[in-house]
Every structure is written in C-alpha cells, then in structure tokens.
C-alpha cells in the first residue's frame, strides 16, 4: 500500500478494505478495516535492531484505546477523519466501537504505556513484556451508592494483539504449561514500530467466573490470566499472583534469550544485546529466572549473576510498606521450586556482603523480599520523582543506598503528549500550533515559547473559550454515559486516581461537607462548584470502598437539597478508565493532587491536568514539587504539611486524630456529619460509621491536620477563578508552557542516556 497522503486516496483504501461503499459500512466494519490499515502501515516503520535493545517488563500496561492514537502517530488521523465526515460519520462514534483494554490499575500501568509510545517515537529499540489478561481490571458499578465489581470482557472481536505461533514452556508448581505469545504493534509518532509482547495460556476459560468477579482460584490452567491482580486478600489469591508473575517472567526471559541469540549473542555478552527494566517488584523473579536459564546453558552461577546485574535495572514506584512485595518462602517453594536454589544462593551472597539483616533477601521469618533482590542484583535503582528518590535514599532504602550509592538515581515520570494533548485536546493543540508551530509535538520544551503570549488578551480569550468548549463536551459525555446534568459555567475541580487513603479523597469529601455547612449558614462560594471524582477501589479494600460510599451518599444528600444544590454538585464517574480520563482532563479547571506529603511517589495525572491548562491544588508531594518549581508559587495552590513534618510525625508516633477531632470545631462538625441524620437516611449506617471511626481513631494518612489549610487554599482558588477569570487563564497558559519537562520523551531520553544506552 502507498503511504496515504490525502482524503481521496484514503477513501479508496478504506472502501477497498471494507469491500463496499463507505456509505454502506457500519462503524464495526470501518473499525476492522482501519485495524488492518494500521497494521500494514505500522509494518513500514519496523526498523532493524542494532546493539542493545530494551525489554520493559511490567505486570501492567494501561494502553487505552489504540485506534485514534495509532492513526495520529502514523500521520493518518486527519485523512481518516475527513473521509468519515464526508460520509456523514464521526471519529467519536467510531471510537465507541473499540473496547478499552483494562490491562492496568493506574499510574504504574499508564506510565508503562506512555514509555512505550516515547520509545517508539524516539526511534529507540524497546519492547514491552506483559500478560494478556482476559478481563483485565474489573468494571466498576455503583449500586446503592456502593462499588460493586463485574468482569470486563474486553477481548473478542478484532484485536490489536495478534496471536503468534510462538510458545514457551513454563513450569508452575512442577507442571508444564504452554505460554503463547501475542504481539501488539506500538507505533511511534513519526517514529519506529516496536512491540508489546503479551503472554497467555490457550486453556484459560472465562466460564469459570461465577458471581461478580469470583472464580475458583486453584484451577491454574483455566484461570491464570483471567484478571489483573486477582484479589490478594487470601492465600489462593496471593499464590495466583505468583503464578501470573512467573508465567510472565519465565516466558519473557526465554524470549529475550532467544532473540539475543538470533542476533548473535553467546549469552556471556548478553549485556551488549539486552537491557531489562523491572517495573516495580512484580517482575522481580526475572532475575533468578535468567540466572537459572543461563545456568542451563553452562554459565557458572557467579558469572550469570554478573551478567544479569549488568542487564537489569529496577524502578521503585512506592514507599508504602504494604505495597513492597514480600512473599512467605513456602509460597515460592510451592510455585517456583526451580528458583529457590538460585534465590538462596543470592541471599548467601548478600550475607557475605553485609551484616545488616534488614538488607537480606530472606529474613528471619522466612519471608522473601523482592525489592531487596532487585537492589542487590541490578545495576540501577530509580525513584520516579526527585522527592521520592530522596526519600528512598535517605530513609526508606537508606541501608541499600549506603551499600550502593552509585546505583541510586532519579527519573522523574512523564506522560506522552500524543495521547494527553494531541489526541485528547485537539482544539488546544491547534491553538498552540497556530502560535508556535508544530515543533512542540516532538520537542515538548518548545512549549516555553507560549510564554510570549501570556499577556496577549486575544490568545487568553481563545484559551478560555477552548476550556469552555471542553467543559461543555464533558457535560455532554456525562449526560450520555452517567445520566447527570452538570453546569459548564461552574468551576470544575477534578480528583481522579485510584482510591487510596493516602491519596486522601476523604480530605476533599470533608471540604465538601464543610461547604455544605457554610452554604446553610448563608456563606456562599464565589461561584458554583462541580466536584468530579473518578476512582476504583481494590475489591478487598474496605475503607476505600467506604469512602466511595460516603462520597456517593453526600452527592445525593446535596442533590436533594434545594438550597445547597445550586452551589455544589458532586459527580462520581462510574468505571473511571483511560477513555474517561481523556474526556475529563481537558475540561478541568482545578486539579486536585492532595496526597499526604511523602506518600505519592510521583503522580502523573498532575502532569496531564497541567498540560491541559488546569491549575493544581496540591501538597508538596511527588512530582507536585517539581511542578511548583517549574511554574512558580503564584501559579499553583500549595498547602499542608511538608514531607519532613509528616515523616517526623510518623517517627515520633505521636499523631492522635482524636485530639484534632476534639479540639477543632470545624473538623468535628464535618466528621460528625458523616453519621448525621442527612447522610444516614440516604446511605448505609454501618459503612458511614466504620469510616467515621477510622478517621477519628486511626487516620493513618493524617487527613485532619491538613484540613484547615486545605479549606483556605481551595476557597482562595475558587475566589480567584470567579473574580479574575482572565488572570486565571493567564496562569493556566503559564502552566501549559512549563509542562514540557513532564513529557515522557524527556524521561525516556534520560533512562536511555543514564541506564540503557540502547542501540549502542
Ligand atoms: C502489590 C502487592 C500485592 C498486590 C498488589 C500490589 C500492587 C499493585 C499495583 C502494588 C502496586 C501497584 C501499583 C502502583 C502504582 O500504580 N504506583 C504509582 O506509580 C506511578 C508511576 O510511577 C506514580 O506516579 C504514582 O505516584 C504511584 O502511586
């Protein structure tokens, strides 16, 4: 096929692919045809691999819908759009046909997807390795103001990931299973084509799913890749997680060794052919697995350790102790007995190196610490934002930092501007291009040129109009998908991210209750506010689900109150995912990034909102710190305790939520409201009480000390927005112009320069 240049040709190509006139084609037929066209076009971008190639191993790749993104990256989007429109069809309706693959939970999985886009765009040889979950993450439903979970059958029909004939044998609990490779083309923007390699078992069978998302967790052959992270609140669930992880790393390691051999490696020189990035601890077993496989090829243990350490690097995404994976040794004895001799020998090497028991791989209670293995046996450990890396070095992982100071480095996260600007905000993209030309699409630092327009009233007016259009579009989408009507002339404040106590959706909730009382007392906000949430809670995380319940109940209480509903509306978007994010982010005025300082490793939503012209209301945490540095204090709303204060408060162990509750009347009033008559008559008393008790007696993530500071800053933001709209838009433009640093192209270039050295 010729490189498609114009609409006429696209018309012919598309109708040929559909085998009929476009007017007669259904959207499904057009989708299938375009899938084929993208596949053909992407093959033209395949480039030979020279030198080192990256393998990014991750249990999650939250890739989002692919059609539009691929068309943009291949330079076909405008042609296809014009062609469809000439036949009375729309791109938006076409996009509806595509199911969104739920192959990730949140930040870590979306980061992996952004990285694949940037690797291919920068023409770097780099593939992903992951699992082909049949139902991915659950679909979220709200019933009686509570979350319930149902399976999301996203597979079936035409798929981007193509089944191949390649299979690898993987031994799980002493039995052999056949892992099959599926390949999904990753098209770079004017770049090269790389692949996301996903493994699966042919025997997996969705009919074992029973009620909701429950299933028999012991039938490995039939359930292994059914869901992303099956509920790990019981033994069977945790074991299944290990089965999943080993399938991924063993098949992945075999594939890597095979590819490198084909390219001429004798395996002793593996580091000249491969770089492996371990995305959090979920793929950590790739280390002992590679050592084991090299052993089978006759390479001695010590040499194998040296090779693998040179090849592998590890990224840490969290300082929450409960998320750092550690497994009872007997789990591993059961699932991967073949790895245990290797892991024990690695632990013995560590014992020779240090007497510090907190750095051992296998501790006294026979627990295996995956992160410890990563740090000892890779050549690089990185955090994902400057503050996060400092905390790793100085406290959380300090014992390792002292052993290997040269291994620790920071790589501040980034996002791909193709999806999070070009694709999701075409109007803003067009405005930017009209002002500074198209260079920013490949070199995001060019956005700084927008600083020349911050006092240009015409530009600001246009930017204001674009935000208003995006808010109207979100309002339309909310009406259509969530059955709610919102006012696009209110201020849109959005908090969308996984639900976790440290991310503190509950702080936002307490603010909204506070406002409720203020309005009742006749103190109206300066403008009506629409508080929008999007969040899924882990199925077994009770308090997280209680917070969702409290928010949905409050939303109803307010909607039913004629006085208050004129001023506040709460919208909790059901089943938040990448597709929803693409509608919400361009429509946001105020981006809520309110984690407890020190707990959010980086955040990447914060970058997406900023790029789309929202101002941030946040704590000095994760990448918010770098955003604040970039835009300046006058262009961001910062509040709350510093990470140092938080860490000190934890180490003194003297935080008492109850004291704050009892001594601060504002706090008491808001917290008591949770189980007051209005809420209880609308919601579930047991859940509301449980949540209130958690706040008063635990509040592990210190919501209450930041409450008053949050109210002050947020009220200030609402007032600024209402009183000086053009001033607000001016600050939004400054945020956009400073977003260049947060492009994942920059992040990937840094990984490459400092860790991977690809193609060399
Ligand atoms: C661990 C053990 C058992 C079961 C599940 C898990 C588990 C699952 C998912 C642990 C962690 C995750 C996901 C973590 C994650 O998404 N972290 C986010 O990574 C982003 C990209 O670096 C950061 O921006 C966020 O700050 C961080 O929260």
């Amino acid at each position: 096929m010729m490189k498609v240049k114009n609409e006429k040709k696209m018309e012919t190509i598309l109708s040929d692919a559909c085998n009929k006139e476009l007017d007669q084609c259904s959207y499904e037929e057009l989708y299938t045809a375009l899938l084929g066209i993208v596949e053909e076009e992407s093959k033209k971008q395949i480039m030979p691999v020279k030198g080192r190639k990256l393998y990014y191993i991750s249990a999650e790749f939250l890739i989002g819908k692919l059609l539009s993104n691929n068309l943009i990256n291949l330079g076909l989007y405008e042609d296809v759009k014009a062609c469809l429109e000439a036949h009375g069809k729309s791109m938006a309706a076409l996009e509806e046909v595509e199911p969104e693959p739920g192959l990730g939970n949140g930040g870590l999985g979306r980061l992996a997807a952004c990285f694949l886009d940037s690797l291919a765009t920068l023409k770097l040889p780099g593939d992903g390795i992951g699992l082909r979950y049949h139902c991915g993450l659950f679909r979220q439903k709200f019933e009686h103001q509570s979350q319930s979970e149902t399976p999301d059958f996203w597979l079936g029909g035409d798929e981007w990931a193509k089944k191949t004939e390649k299979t690898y044998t993987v031994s799980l609990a002493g039995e052999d299973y056949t892992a099959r490779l599926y390949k999904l083309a990753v098209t770079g923007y004017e770049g090269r084509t790389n692949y996301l390699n996903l493994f699966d078992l042919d025997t997996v069978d969705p009919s074992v799913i029973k009620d909701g998302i429950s299933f028999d967790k012991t039938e490995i052959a039939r359930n292994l890749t059914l869901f992303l992270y099956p509920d790990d609140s019981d033994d069977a669930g945790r074991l299944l997680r290990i089965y999943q992880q080993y399938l991924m790393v063993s098949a992945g390691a075999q594939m890597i060794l095979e590819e490198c051999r084909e390219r001429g490696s004798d395996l002793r020189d593996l580091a000249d052919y491969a770089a492996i990035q371990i995305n959090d601890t979920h793929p950590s077993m790739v280390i002992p697995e590679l050592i084991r496989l090299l052993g089978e090829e006759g390479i001695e243990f010590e040499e194998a350790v040296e090779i693998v350490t040179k090849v592998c690097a590890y990224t840490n995404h969290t300082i929450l102790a409960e998320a750092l994976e550690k497994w009872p040794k007997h789990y591993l004895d059961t699932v991967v007995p073949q790895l245990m001799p290797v892991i024990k020998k690695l632990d013995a090497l560590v014992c020779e190196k240090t007497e510090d028991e907190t750095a051992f791989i296998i501790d006294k209670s026979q627990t295996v610490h995956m992160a410890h293995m990563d740090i000892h046996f890779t050549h690089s450990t990185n955090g994902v934002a400057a503050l996060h890396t400092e905390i790793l070095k100085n406290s959380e992982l300090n014992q390792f930092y002292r052993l290997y100071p040269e291994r620790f480095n920071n790589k501040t996260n980034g996002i791909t501007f193709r999806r999070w600007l070009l694709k999701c905000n075409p109007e803003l993209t067009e405005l930017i291009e009209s002002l500074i030309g198209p260079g920013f699409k490949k070199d995001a630092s060019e956005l700084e040129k927008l600083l020349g327009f911050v006092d240009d009233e015409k530009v600001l007016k246009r930017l204001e109009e674009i935000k208003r259009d995006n808010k109207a579009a979100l309002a339309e989408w909310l009406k259509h998908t969530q059955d709610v009507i919102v006012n696009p002339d209110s201020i849109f404040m959005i908090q969308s991210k996984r639900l976790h106590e440290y991310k503190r959706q509950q702080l936002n909730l307490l603010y909204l209750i506070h406002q409720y009382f203020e309005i009742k007392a006749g103190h109206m906000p300066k403008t009506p506010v629409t508080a929008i949430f999007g969040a899924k809670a882990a199925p077994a995380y009770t308090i997280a689900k209680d917070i969702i319940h409290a928010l949905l109940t409050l939303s109803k209480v307010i909607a039913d109150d004629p006085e208050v509903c004129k001023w506040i509306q709460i919208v909790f978007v059901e089943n938040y995912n990448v597709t929803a994010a693409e509608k919400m982010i361009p429509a946001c005025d105020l981006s809520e990034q309110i984690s407890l300082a020190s707990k959010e490793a980086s955040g990447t939503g914060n970058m997406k909102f900023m790029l789309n012209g929202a101002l941030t209301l946040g704590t000095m945490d994760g990448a918010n710190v770098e955003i604040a540095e970039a835009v300046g204090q006058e262009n961001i709303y910062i509040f709350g305790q510093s990470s140092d204060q938080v860490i000190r408060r934890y180490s003194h162990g003297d935080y008492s939520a109850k004291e704050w509750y009892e001594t601060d009347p504002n706090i008491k009033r808001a917290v008591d409201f949770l189980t007051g008559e209005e809420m209880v008559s609308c919601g579930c008393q047991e859940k509301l009480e449980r949540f209130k008790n958690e706040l008063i007696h635990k509040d592990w993530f210190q919501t209450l000390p930041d409450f008053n500071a949050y109210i002050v800053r947020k009220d200030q933001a609402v007032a600024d927005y209402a009183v000086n709209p053009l001033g607000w838009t001016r600050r939004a433009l400054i945020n956009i112009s400073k977003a260049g640093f947060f492009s994942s192209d920059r992040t990937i270039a840094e990984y490459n320069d400092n860790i991977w050295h690809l193609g060399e």
Side-chain angles (χ1 to χ4, degrees):
M1 196 171 64
M2 299 254 301
K3 177 82 187 163
V4 191
K5 280 254 158 41
N6 57 45
E7 187 193 327
K8 192 82 214 120
K9 275 196 203 136
M10 180 50 83
E11 167 112 25
T12 322
I13 290 165
L14 201 49
S15 56
D16 283 358
C18 293
N19 219 358
K20 58 170 134 168
E21 292 294 314
L22 292 185
D23 290 325
Q24 263 119 56
C25 290
S26 66
Y27 279 112
E28 283 74 13
E29 288 167 324
L30 288 165
Y31 174 68
T32 304
L34 284 164
L35 211 103
I37 292 170
V38 166
E39 198 184 341
E40 284 307 307
E41 285 292 313
S42 68
K43 282 189 189 142
K44 296 181 189 165
Q45 288 193 169
I46 293 175
M47 291 177 185
V49 180
K50 288 190 226 99
R52 209 176 272 118
K53 170 176 171 181
L54 171 73
Y55 298 90
Y56 196 87
I57 311 193
S58 174
E60 303 188 19
F61 286 93
L62 193 47
I63 50 184
K65 294 188 183 190
L66 294 174
L67 179 61
S68 289
N69 200 249
N70 280 334
L71 291 174
I72 289 173
N73 283 3
L74 293 167
L76 303 176
Y77 185 85
E78 292 306 326
D79 287 345
V80 171
K81 184 164 174 271
C83 180
L84 290 180
E85 282 167 2
H87 292 269
K89 293 183 158 57
S90 79
M91 217 45 216
L94 177 64
E95 281 180 15
E96 301 262 309
V97 173
E98 181 176 358
E100 178 182 327
L103 305 184
N105 273 294
L108 164 149
R110 183 53 233 175
L111 184 76
C114 285
F115 280 5
L116 292 184
D117 183 273
S118 285
L119 280 159
T121 297
L122 296 178
K123 298 197 173 127
L124 293 170
D127 279 6
I129 293 178
L131 289 172
R132 179 177 178 266
Y133 306 103
H134 290 232
C135 299
L137 186 62
F138 63 87
R139 182 183 289 273
Q140 179 190 51
K141 281 242 156 63
F142 294 147
E143 290 166 329
H144 309 296
Q145 291 118 243
S146 295
Q147 169 180 301
S148 62
E149 300 91 20
T150 61
D152 175 17
F153 296 104
W154 71 280
L155 282 176
D158 292 302
E159 284 158 33
W160 292 101
K162 303 290 175 210
K163 186 173 180 173
T164 73
E165 291 308 309
K166 267 245 162 294
T167 58
Y168 301 93
T169 302
V170 175
S171 170
L172 296 162
E175 282 195 37
D176 282 351
Y177 293 80
T178 305
R180 181 178 296 282
L181 173 65
Y182 288 72
K183 281 185 104 70
L184 187 156
V186 178
T187 59
Y189 180 72
E190 297 174 3
R192 66 183 280 150
T193 291
N194 289 324
Y195 287 92
L196 171 54
N197 302 285
L198 298 174
F199 291 102
D200 196 5
L201 297 180
D202 289 350
T203 49
V204 166
D205 173 10
S207 76
V208 305
I209 302 171
K210 300 200 191 75
D211 212 14
I213 53 168
S214 63
F215 60 94
D216 179 352
K217 291 185 190 140
T218 58
E219 267 195 277
I220 298 305
R222 299 221 281 165
N223 68 24
L224 193 64
T225 51
L226 271 183
F227 290 103
L228 169 68
Y229 298 145
D231 186 357
D232 69 349
S233 58
D234 57 22
D235 276 338
R238 283 190 285 271
L239 279 172
L240 187 47
R241 232 180 111 76
I242 302 177
Y243 281 110
Q244 285 190 334
Q245 293 181 350
Y246 187 66
L247 184 85
M248 170 173 80
V249 303
S250 176
Q254 293 178 58
M255 185 190 84
I256 294 169
L257 295 185
E258 184 180 86
E259 277 192 12
C260 291
R261 273 205 151 124
E262 279 168 14
R263 292 175 48 222
S265 170
D266 64 3
L267 301 187
R268 291 178 198 277
D269 57 2
L270 192 64
D272 296 336
Y273 291 82
I276 296 176
Q277 192 69 31
I278 300 175
N279 197 27
D280 218 290
T281 52
H282 321 151
S284 301
M285 283 186 285
V286 75
I287 294 171
E289 176 65 1
L290 276 170
I291 294 171
R292 186 186 74 83
L293 291 171
L294 292 177
E296 282 183 354
E297 300 302 321
I299 299 180
E300 294 292 327
F301 177 74
E302 283 72 20
E303 191 182 354
V305 170
E306 209 174 292
I307 295 169
V308 170
T309 306
K310 257 200 260 170
V311 167
C312 293
Y314 158 65
T315 303
N316 175 287
H317 295 265
T318 185
I319 61 160
L320 290 186
E322 68 265 29
L324 281 179
E325 286 181 308
K326 46 184 194 294
W327 303 114
K329 189 174 141 295
H330 67 92
Y331 281 10
L332 298 180
D333 286 331
T334 307
V335 181
V336 287
Q338 65 276 36
L339 288 190
M340 289 322 291
V342 180
I343 294 176
K344 282 184 196 151
K345 279 166 89 175
L346 291 176
D347 188 50
L349 286 181
V350 172
C351 294
E352 281 171 25
K353 188 168 225 133
T354 175
E355 286 173 359
D356 181 354
E357 290 183 22
T358 68
F360 291 178
I361 298 176
I362 305 174
D363 71 15
K364 275 205 294 266
S365 60
Q366 297 295 293
T367 304
V368 184
H369 295 256
M370 306 312 267
H372 299 186
M373 187 164 70
D374 291 320
I375 303 168
H376 288 295
F377 298 105
T378 66
H379 66 283
S380 163
T381 290
N382 75 281
V384 289
L387 175 68
H388 170 59
T389 302
E390 286 311 303
I391 294 174
L392 293 180
K393 292 197 300 196
N394 299 331
S395 45
E396 279 329 283
L397 301 177
N398 179 257
Q399 70 273 43
F400 297 97
Y401 179 57
R402 279 184 281 120
L403 280 173
Y404 312 108
E406 74 293 349
R407 290 188 184 178
F408 279 74
N409 63 96
N410 176 246
K411 297 286 169 283
T412 298
N413 282 168
I415 56 173
T416 167
F417 285 23
R418 270 71 63 185
R419 184 175 290 269
W420 298 110
L421 181 61
L422 276 58
K423 155 80 178 55
C424 76
N425 204 339
E427 274 193 71
L428 179 58
T429 306
E430 202 184 310
L431 172 65
I432 296 174
E433 192 163 350
S434 75
L435 298 174
I436 62 170
F440 68 96
K441 297 179 185 176
K442 292 199 90 172
D443 177 2
S445 68
E446 289 198 12
L447 285 178
E448 290 239 13
K449 293 184 187 166
L450 289 171
L451 286 176
F453 299 92
V454 293
D455 292 312
D456 184 331
E457 196 158 319
K458 237 175 81 202
V459 170
L460 296 182
K461 285 276 177 212
R462 178 68 195 124
L463 188 56
E464 206 169 53
E465 231 169 65
I466 291 170
K467 184 60 80 179
R468 179 63 174 68
D469 288 349
N470 288 333
K471 288 166 76 173
L474 176 61
E476 200 42 49
W477 183 81
L478 289 172
K479 189 165 98 188
H480 168 70
T481 60
Q482 316 280 317
D483 201 21
V484 295
I485 308 282
V486 299
N487 170 13
D489 292 313
S490 60
I491 177 171
F492 281 16
M493 335 196 268
I494 308 188
Q495 187 174 16
S496 54
K497 46 183 82 254
R498 282 304 292 258
L499 213 138
H500 199 291
E501 286 165 281
Y502 86 76
K503 294 179 187 278
R504 301 198 298 187
Q505 281 91 352
Q506 67 273 31
L507 184 55
N508 200 342
L509 166 77
L510 292 177
Y511 169 85
L512 293 164
I513 296 175
H514 179 83
Q515 281 305 312
Y516 173 94
F517 280 113
E518 292 299 298
I519 292 165
K520 288 282 183 195
H523 309 140
M524 311 308 177
K526 291 275 190 297
T527 184
V529 302
T530 303
I532 304 175
F533 293 85
K536 289 182 181 176
Y541 191 168
T542 309
I543 294 299
K545 288 179 138 181
D546 289 346
I547 295 172
I548 293 183
H549 178 67
L551 274 162
L552 286 168
T553 305
L554 181 66
S555 166
K556 196 160 177 322
V557 168
I558 289 176
D560 291 346
D561 185 315
E563 252 179 301
V564 184
C565 76
K566 283 189 269 183
W567 294 100
I568 306 180
Q569 184 178 13
I570 301 177
V571 178
F572 205 128
V573 174
E574 193 177 51
N575 199 43
Y576 180 67
N577 57 12
V578 176
T579 309
E582 287 169 14
K583 311 279 181 202
M584 289 158 68
I585 289 169
C588 179
D589 296 306
L590 190 66
S591 155
E592 304 259 9
Q593 308 299 335
I594 60 176
S595 55
L596 175 65
S598 79
K599 295 294 175 191
E600 188 70 274
S602 161
T604 44
N606 45 4
M607 303 168 185
K608 295 166 197 164
F609 283 108
M610 168 197 197
L611 175 62
N612 283 274
L615 299 198
T616 303
L617 169 60
T619 46
M620 275 304 221
D621 199 14
N624 294 354
V625 175
E626 287 155 87
I627 293 178
E629 254 166 44
V631 301
Q633 287 301 321
E634 61 292 2
N635 300 308
I636 189 166
Y637 295 92
I638 296 292
F639 73 96
Q641 303 184 86
S642 70
S643 59
D644 285 344
Q645 284 171 305
V646 171
I647 290 168
R648 222 172 302 130
R649 222 195 271 272
Y650 273 123
S651 70
H652 292 170
D654 62 356
Y655 172 59
S656 158
K658 193 138 186 278
E659 248 174 70
W660 287 81
Y661 166 77
E662 280 168 353
T663 53
D664 185 320
N666 271 343
I667 292 178
K668 184 159 192 318
R669 181 175 74 166
V671 172
D672 285 345
F673 185 80
L674 288 169
T675 53
E677 204 185 291
E678 294 87 347
M679 290 288 280
V680 168
S681 65
C682 238
C684 163
Q685 185 159 4
E686 186 194 340
K687 292 178 184 171
L688 293 167
E689 263 170 13
R690 186 166 52 207
F691 171 46
K692 180 179 161 187
N693 279 331
E694 182 82 17
L695 268 181
I696 299 176
H697 299 292
K698 298 201 183 113
D699 189 25
W700 188 241
F701 296 100
Q702 302 177 17
T703 314
L704 305 186
D706 281 349
F707 178 70
N708 284 305
Y710 180 54
I711 292 172
V712 171
R713 278 319 260 161
K714 194 155 168 173
D715 284 349
Q716 181 65 52
V718 173
D720 289 348
Y721 175 86
V723 173
N724 182 4
L726 219 54
W728 181 278
T729 304
R730 183 179 184 278
R731 294 190 295 153
L733 186 57
I734 294 174
N735 270 266
I736 299 169
S737 68
K738 294 290 186 179
F741 178 76
F742 302 103
S743 161
S744 47
D745 297 348
R746 187 269 312 151
T747 315
I748 286 297
E750 285 183 12
Y751 273 95
N752 190 41
D753 289 348
N754 304 334
I755 305 175
W756 303 329
H757 311 290
L758 303 177
E760 288 172 22

